Amino acid sequence: SDYGKDLFTFTLPPPSTLPEQVLDVDNATPDSHVPRDARLIRLTGVHPFNVEPPLTALFKEGFLTSPELFYVRNHGAVPHVQDENVPNWEFSIEGMVANPIRITLKQLLSDYENVTCPITLVCAGNRRKEQNMIRKSKGFSWGPAGVSTALFTGVIMADVIRRAMPLRKARYVCMEGADKLPNGYYGTSVKLNWVMDPNRGIMLAHKMNGEPLMPDHGKPLRAVIPGQIGGRSVKWLKKLILTAEPSDNWYHIYDNRVLPTMVDPDESSRNPAWWKDDRYAIYDLSPNAATAQPAHDEQLVLADAPTMYMTRGYAYSGGGRRITRVEVSMDQGKTWRLANIEYAEDQYRKYEDKQLFGGRLDMDWRETSFCWCFWNLEISVAELREAKDVVVRAMDESMNIMPKEMYWSVLGMMNNPWFRIAIHKENGVLRFEHPTQPALMPGGWMDRVKKAGGNLSNGQWGERVEGQEMETV
Amino acid sequence: SDYGKDLFTFTLPPPSTLPEQVLDVDNATPDSHVPRDARLIRLTGVHPFNVEPPLTALFKEGFLTSPELFYVRNHGAVPHVQDENVPNWEFSIEGMVANPIRITLKQLLSDYENVTCPITLVCAGNRRKEQNMIRKSKGFSWGPAGVSTALFTGVIMADVIRRAMPLRKARYVCMEGADKLPNGYYGTSVKLNWVMDPNRGIMLAHKMNGEPLMPDHGKPLRAVIPGQIGGRSVKWLKKLILTAEPSDNWYHIYDNRVLPTMVDPDESSRNPAWWKDDRYAIYDLSPNAATAQPAHDEQLVLADAPTMYMTRGYAYSGGGRRITRVEVSMDQGKTWRLANIEYAEDQYRKYEDKQLFGGRLDMDWRETSFCWCFWNLEISVAELREAKDVVVRAMDESMNIMPKEMYWSVLGMMNNPWFRIAIHKENGVLRFEHPTQPALMPGGWMDRVKKAGGNLSNGQWGERVEGQEMETV
């Protein structure tokens, strides 16, 4: 029927099989109550649970990521919340407010309007493995799959805070989770004026893709701060505290920062002042992109190859700024070609007041962009044969562009240089090589160049430059 | 007195001598009614008037620029408005509004609150000469002084639009000036939601630094759109027209865009579709910086030199995003040192409801940053002696950084690669060489390298790379 067609012109979540079994590997850990998907790649050993999906699996899911493949960044044990206790989950709004609120999740959901919105979350460490190849940072090795998208359903954070009546001097909203860690509960803050701005879409979510939050994603309640790094979207949310100053939580101060590049690990340990300068705190995401097709180690047999090969990948930016162009180079950046971009997010903008997963689809008036987009470009196989590599870069609506040069910093965050895939011609086969493989997995041209004693900082990705002796580290 | 001290802890405008005489050169032009400062460097011949101040003169004025040195971008003749007609200047709010308004400037100023705020304006073409050295763009050659700052006084645009009662489908505010040009009146648009957002500070200004607007700056009324390129701040403002779509004004479509880099002048002329994709329109400024000290051709006699030399310059970004770090390299970007930054704008934030130039100083609650900042770094002369060059880059609070690589585009706008000064050692003297000189003036290392047949795109600013033959174009 026409009704049915209309209903499905936007993307619905991919088929999802929520894991029901706890994996053997988790049984001896504090997370022995958390069923998980075995495909996820563990970046910090068995525990705490920090994972990204295999890039190809993530990309094949399309615009929306199923909750079981959605990347996870946990700092410690997952709070154990039984289903029967979910409605009574207590949550408070306190600090510089005239009317402090203590409320259960059940009340929250009945007292406030629910909305649904597609939002991409990205770990500030996405692509950090590349930084670690150049120089070891104080962070573990994310590949390029620390990014996922879901339809989040929940309450607009501003609605709740308005009812608590912020005092005039309140400027920040501190958030605190239920995850007790060595340095206290996880917490951070964002500006109150951002929370109150409807264009920023900051929410308190209890569902992903129509399902209650899984334990790893903040069951039963989390903040979702669109356009900003995932570290600001506090999971297992217990408190909003309004303050005159940014959060003094240990994790707000000593995590999620891009210190100036000359501050090395020693200097950052010696001098805590570096961590206390709020100018270095990360909020907005910056433009980034990666190629999913060709995959790492994908082989193209030239004898069987079609004339054209389709390259594909993702791109995103921050602060609600749309990716406005994605460009691909086959000659190390001398010339560029323009990729096509699909903005699946825009399909949701057509619907005013449609209900989805128990929330109003809150998109038709919204002009900000909070989701990744997918790019593609057909390249002739004849050209791929002649090229040494294929690099991609993206630019956002504020004309911020991914640079060629890496900005190394002590936490290795916000890594966004051009994403480069090397091409090898071997016995009638083209073999594609991504920069790295996630976690401690070997592979990738950075690993290869480094092992061969090449200098990854030579401005040519460590590759031999014509007429020059190969530099050694 | 204490009162006096308090009053002057923020920067007041520099001593200003408003020109009273029309220069000879303007007498034979349609601007023969416009007194001007002879120091301004004309970028488009005698007429229309497009000028930047000498960089050193601009920088010496400090945080605020006097109106007579403030850069000017005119598309045609300056509308001639006699002083006695200023109060009766008519201005309208029309289009998708329930209550269209036609109002005189006198009424506007008496019916609405006036505010005062320091705002930096920047031409989208700032630093375009560097693009033109790489490949001729469709734009004239700005040096790095297409940027200036003033205290603007006027009415908050949102207040006026609110009274006109925008219809529900209105999404854009089109602005139209009184300057009649070959393709109609100059006009452009911004989003209505930006105009209504108090954090964006969009205003209708009638004073700069406490003086009525000079003819070149929009006498008697202009839009000021902080954090965005100057081309959106329409001068000699006659109309605000609310619409459902972006402006279809010729100057909105065919100016102030960064088309993809592979679109060359021929392709851009052949295919108008490139111009009609709103993703390529420029709104926010992107991070940029330049060095004012050392100046171009400044000489440092080593025999008389002190131990340390102070480098200084400016930096700015867009969209209200603060510059959070400025870094200087003496080894072509291999290592960086952190410059000091002065945020003079922040001095104004301390004052709540103070009156300045007939407007309320509207800064104490504001968290966005709309002004340039000044950076400085002391470098030992011994190091300068050994260095080939000194480059600077800036990063903003969204972690957007000036790239090493230039993004060339057909209009040559938003040029923001690292700002590099070459250092020459000649007979006991260090001579500093900026990249270019504005307009058709010769000089600068880009000019020198180009004349010598060097390839400015070799990734080393056209300089000879050790062990490599110099490439020719």
Side-chain angles (χ1 to χ4, degrees):
Chain A
S1 73
D2 277 355
Y3 176 75
K5 263 190 216 159
D6 178 60
L7 189 65
F8 293 100
T9 50
F10 51 75
T11 307
L12 286 174
S16 167
T17 311
L18 292 183
E20 292 177 358
Q21 292 296 114
V22 173
L23 300 174
D24 285 349
V25 68
D26 287 318
N27 267 329
T29 78
D31 290 350
S32 59
H33 59 99
V34 186
R36 286 168 174 156
D37 192 301
R39 290 172 295 172
L40 294 168
I41 299 164
R42 297 194 185 221
L43 307 171
T44 47
V46 171
H47 190 280
F49 191 62
N50 290 294
V51 294
E52 67 180 76
L55 179 61
T56 301
L58 172 71
F59 196 75
K60 282 199 174 146
E61 292 225 311
F63 176 62
L64 296 170
T65 315
S66 54
E68 68 269 25
L69 263 192
F70 203 105
Y71 86 86
V72 179
R73 169 77 179 101
N74 289 346
H75 291 79
V78 175
H80 193 174
V81 184
Q82 308 277 8
D83 285 346
E84 60 269 30
N85 295 331
V86 164
N88 300 320
W89 177 264
E90 277 207 334
F91 163 71
S92 62
I93 303 98
E94 52 192 78
M96 298 175 77
V97 293
N99 177 38
I101 293 176
R102 177 169 288 275
I103 190 174
T104 63
L105 181 56
K106 190 178 164 187
Q107 284 176 293
L108 184 74
L109 301 189
S110 69
D111 291 2
Y112 294 88
E113 187 197 23
N114 270 258
V115 296
T116 295
C117 195
I119 295 162
T120 295
L121 293 181
V122 186
C123 185
N126 193 33
R127 296 183 63 192
R128 184 193 281 130
K129 176 78 172 262
E130 296 166 54
Q131 297 240 334
N132 282 340
M133 297 304 292
I134 297 280
R135 179 177 187 170
K136 211 175 145 16
S137 75
K138 286 190 173 189
F140 53 86
S141 287
W142 291 95
V147 47
S148 307
T149 302
L151 285 160
F152 285 94
T153 300
V155 166
I156 296 166
M157 194 189 281
D159 290 350
V160 181
I161 288 187
R162 205 173 288 113
R163 222 176 277 187
M165 301 169 65
L167 300 181
R168 209 162 135 280
K169 301 265 175 194
R171 285 202 153 175
Y172 295 86
V173 178
C174 301
M175 296 165 275
E176 199 176 278
D179 44 338
K180 185 108 195 251
L181 306 168
N183 294 293
Y185 292 102
Y186 184 82
T188 181
S189 61
V190 294
K191 285 189 183 174
L192 175 59
N193 91 53
W194 298 344
V195 175
M196 302 315 285
D197 179 356
N199 290 298
R200 290 184 185 258
I202 294 176
M203 65 194 289
L204 302 169
H206 57 97
K207 279 188 190 171
M208 267 168 86
N209 292 351
E211 299 288 335
L213 291 179
M214 288 172 62
D216 278 323
H217 298 302
K219 175 183 180 182
L221 186 69
R222 72 176 301 173
V224 176
I225 318 279
Q228 298 197 9
I229 54 166
R232 305 289 168 225
S233 289
V234 175
K235 299 191 285 192
W236 313 294
L237 189 69
K238 290 299 286 179
K239 286 182 188 173
L240 300 182
I241 310 157
L242 275 73
T243 56
E245 299 294 333
S247 171
D248 60 1
N249 186 289
W250 191 92
Y251 299 92
H252 183 76
I253 304 294
Y254 294 103
D255 200 357
N256 293 318
R257 301 199 166 220
V258 176
L259 299 193
T261 189
M262 74 293 297
V263 178
D264 63 21
D266 278 356
E267 169 64 16
S268 76
S269 303
R270 258 195 313 269
N271 192 349
W274 289 113
W275 300 98
K276 293 181 178 163
D277 189 330
D278 207 53
R279 290 180 299 174
Y280 306 142
I282 314 165
Y283 296 98
D284 287 355
L285 293 160
S286 40
N288 211 341
T291 303
Q293 184 177 300
H296 178 64
D297 259 346
E298 182 174 322
Q299 308 210 354
L300 184 65
V301 179
L302 290 170
D304 304 340
T307 315
M308 303 297 285
Y309 179 91
M310 185 68 90
T311 58
R312 295 179 191 276
Y314 71 72
Y316 60 79
S317 191
R321 293 181 285 279
R322 178 183 289 263
I323 288 292
T324 53
R325 72 196 73 187
V326 173
E327 295 170 330
V328 172
S329 178
M330 312 280 290
D331 56 7
Q332 290 92 44
K334 285 192 195 71
T335 64
W336 297 87
R337 43 193 93 182
L338 196 62
N340 306 301
I341 307 181
E342 290 165 22
Y343 302 96
E345 176 184 14
D346 287 348
Q347 298 166 8
Y348 300 85
R349 296 187 200 271
K350 283 177 261 178
Y351 300 95
E352 187 180 342
D353 296 340
K354 185 187 283 288
Q355 289 292 313
L356 184 64
F357 304 141
R360 178 173 54 81
L361 190 49
D362 190 35
M363 287 288 291
D364 74 298
W365 61 277
R366 194 183 298 279
E367 295 176 282
T368 36
S369 173
F370 292 135
C371 293
W372 63 1
C373 57
F374 290 155
W375 60 266
N376 66 74
L377 181 68
E378 245 188 359
I379 298 174
S380 81
V381 171
E383 284 177 295
L384 284 173
R385 249 179 118 134
E386 298 307 316
K388 290 181 187 158
D389 45 25
V390 48
V391 302
V392 62
R393 68 179 179 189
M395 189 192 279
D396 73 15
E397 65 181 66
S398 292
M399 309 293 163
N400 299 307
I401 193 167
M402 292 163 61
K404 181 179 181 188
E405 306 258 314
M406 175 183 292
Y407 190 92
W408 186 92
S409 72
V410 71
L411 292 182
M413 289 173 161
M414 305 302 275
N415 186 54
N416 73 337
W418 303 349
F419 190 88
R420 173 178 180 264
I421 291 179
I423 306 175
H424 300 281
K425 279 140 289 253
E426 294 161 345
N427 307 318
V429 171
L430 296 187
R431 185 171 57 78
F432 299 96
E433 187 181 35
H434 279 223
T436 66
Q437 287 292 278
L440 304 177
M441 295 162 66
W445 57 261
M446 296 186 87
D447 194 24
R448 170 175 54 77
V449 167
K450 199 170 175 179
K451 282 177 176 154
N455 175 4
L456 288 166
S457 316
N458 73 344
Q460 288 296 318
W461 307 282
E463 300 286 346
R464 192 186 296 267
V465 178
E466 297 291 330
Q468 271 192 314
E469 285 309 297
M470 192 156 179
E471 287 179 76
T472 49
V473 185
Chain B
S1 72
D2 278 357
Y3 176 75
K5 264 191 216 158
D6 179 60
L7 188 66
F8 293 100
T9 50
F10 51 77
T11 307
L12 286 173
S16 166
T17 311
L18 293 182
E20 293 177 356
Q21 291 296 113
V22 174
L23 299 174
D24 285 349
V25 68
D26 288 317
N27 267 328
T29 79
D31 291 349
S32 59
H33 58 99
V34 186
R36 286 167 174 157
D37 192 302
R39 289 172 293 172
L40 294 167
I41 300 164
R42 298 194 183 220
L43 307 171
T44 47
V46 172
H47 184 83
F49 191 61
N50 291 293
V51 294
E52 67 180 76
L55 179 60
T56 301
L58 172 69
F59 196 75
K60 283 200 174 147
E61 292 225 312
F63 176 62
L64 297 170
T65 315
S66 53
E68 67 269 24
L69 263 193
F70 203 106
Y71 86 88
V72 179
R73 169 76 179 102
N74 290 345
H75 291 79
V78 175
H80 193 174
V81 184
Q82 307 277 6
D83 286 346
E84 60 269 29
N85 295 331
V86 164
N88 300 320
W89 178 264
E90 278 207 335
F91 164 72
S92 62
I93 303 98
E94 51 192 77
M96 299 175 75
V97 293
N99 176 39
I101 293 176
R102 178 168 288 275
I103 190 174
T104 63
L105 181 57
K106 191 178 163 185
Q107 285 176 295
L108 183 75
L109 302 190
S110 69
D111 291 3
Y112 295 87
E113 188 196 22
N114 270 260
V115 297
T116 295
C117 195
I119 295 163
T120 295
L121 292 180
V122 186
C123 185
N126 193 33
R127 296 184 61 192
R128 184 193 281 130
K129 177 78 173 264
E130 296 166 54
Q131 297 241 335
N132 282 340
M133 297 304 293
I134 297 281
R135 179 176 188 172
K136 210 174 145 19
S137 76
K138 287 190 174 190
F140 53 87
S141 288
W142 291 95
V147 47
S148 306
T149 302
L151 286 160
F152 286 94
T153 300
V155 165
I156 296 166
M157 194 189 281
D159 289 350
V160 181
I161 289 187
R162 206 173 287 113
R163 222 176 277 186
M165 301 169 64
L167 299 181
R168 209 162 133 280
K169 301 263 175 195
R171 284 203 153 174
Y172 295 87
V173 178
C174 301
M175 296 165 276
E176 200 175 277
D179 44 337
K180 184 109 195 250
L181 305 170
N183 294 292
Y185 293 102
Y186 184 82
T188 182
S189 61
V190 294
K191 286 188 183 173
L192 175 59
N193 90 54
W194 298 344
V195 175
M196 302 316 283
D197 179 355
N199 290 298
R200 290 183 184 258
I202 294 176
M203 66 194 287
L204 301 169
H206 57 98
K207 280 188 192 171
M208 266 168 87
N209 292 352
E211 298 289 334
L213 291 177
M214 287 172 62
D216 279 323
H217 298 302
K219 176 184 179 180
L221 185 69
R222 72 176 301 173
V224 176
I225 318 281
Q228 299 197 11
I229 55 166
R232 306 289 169 223
S233 289
V234 176
K235 300 191 283 192
W236 315 292
L237 190 70
K238 290 300 286 179
K239 286 183 187 174
L240 299 181
I241 309 158
L242 275 73
T243 57
E245 299 295 333
S247 171
D248 60 2
N249 185 288
W250 192 92
Y251 299 92
H252 183 77
I253 304 294
Y254 294 104
D255 201 355
N256 293 318
R257 300 197 167 222
V258 176
L259 299 193
T261 188
M262 74 292 297
V263 178
D264 63 20
D266 277 357
E267 169 64 16
S268 75
S269 303
R270 258 195 313 269
N271 193 349
W274 289 113
W275 299 98
K276 293 181 177 162
D277 189 330
D278 207 53
R279 291 180 298 174
Y280 307 142
I282 315 165
Y283 295 98
D284 286 356
L285 293 161
S286 41
N288 212 340
T291 304
Q293 184 178 302
H296 178 64
D297 260 347
E298 182 174 322
Q299 308 209 354
L300 184 65
V301 180
L302 291 170
D304 305 339
T307 315
M308 303 297 285
Y309 179 91
M310 185 67 91
T311 59
R312 296 179 189 276
Y314 71 71
Y316 60 79
S317 191
R321 293 182 284 279
R322 178 183 291 263
I323 288 291
T324 52
R325 73 196 74 187
V326 172
E327 295 170 331
V328 172
S329 178
M330 311 280 292
D331 56 7
Q332 288 91 45
K334 285 192 195 71
T335 63
W336 296 87
R337 42 193 95 181
L338 195 63
N340 306 301
I341 306 181
E342 289 165 22
Y343 301 97
E345 176 183 15
D346 287 347
Q347 297 166 9
Y348 299 86
R349 297 186 200 271
K350 283 177 260 176
Y351 300 95
E352 188 181 339
D353 296 341
K354 187 187 282 288
Q355 290 291 315
L356 183 64
F357 303 142
R360 178 173 54 82
L361 191 50
D362 190 36
M363 287 288 292
D364 74 297
W365 61 276
R366 192 183 300 279
E367 295 176 282
T368 35
S369 173
F370 292 135
C371 293
W372 62 1
C373 56
F374 290 155
W375 60 266
N376 66 73
L377 182 68
E378 245 187 357
I379 298 174
S380 81
V381 172
E383 285 178 294
L384 283 173
R385 249 179 116 133
E386 298 307 316
K388 289 181 186 155
D389 46 25
V390 48
V391 303
V392 63
R393 69 180 178 188
M395 189 191 275
D396 73 15
E397 65 180 66
S398 292
M399 309 293 162
N400 298 308
I401 193 166
M402 292 164 60
K404 182 179 181 188
E405 306 258 315
M406 175 183 292
Y407 189 92
W408 186 92
S409 73
V410 71
L411 291 182
M413 288 172 160
M414 305 302 275
N415 186 55
N416 72 337
W418 302 349
F419 190 88
R420 172 178 181 264
I421 291 179
I423 306 175
H424 300 280
K425 278 142 290 255
E426 294 161 344
N427 307 319
V429 171
L430 297 186
R431 185 171 58 79
F432 299 98
E433 187 181 35
H434 279 222
T436 66
Q437 287 292 279
L440 304 177
M441 295 161 66
W445 58 260
M446 296 187 86
D447 194 25
R448 170 175 53 80
V449 166
K450 198 170 176 180
K451 282 177 178 157
N455 175 4
L456 287 166
S457 317
N458 73 344
Q460 288 295 316
W461 306 283
E463 300 286 346
R464 191 185 297 267
V465 179
E466 297 291 329
Q468 272 193 312
E469 285 309 297
M470 191 158 180
E471 288 181 75
T472 49
V473 186

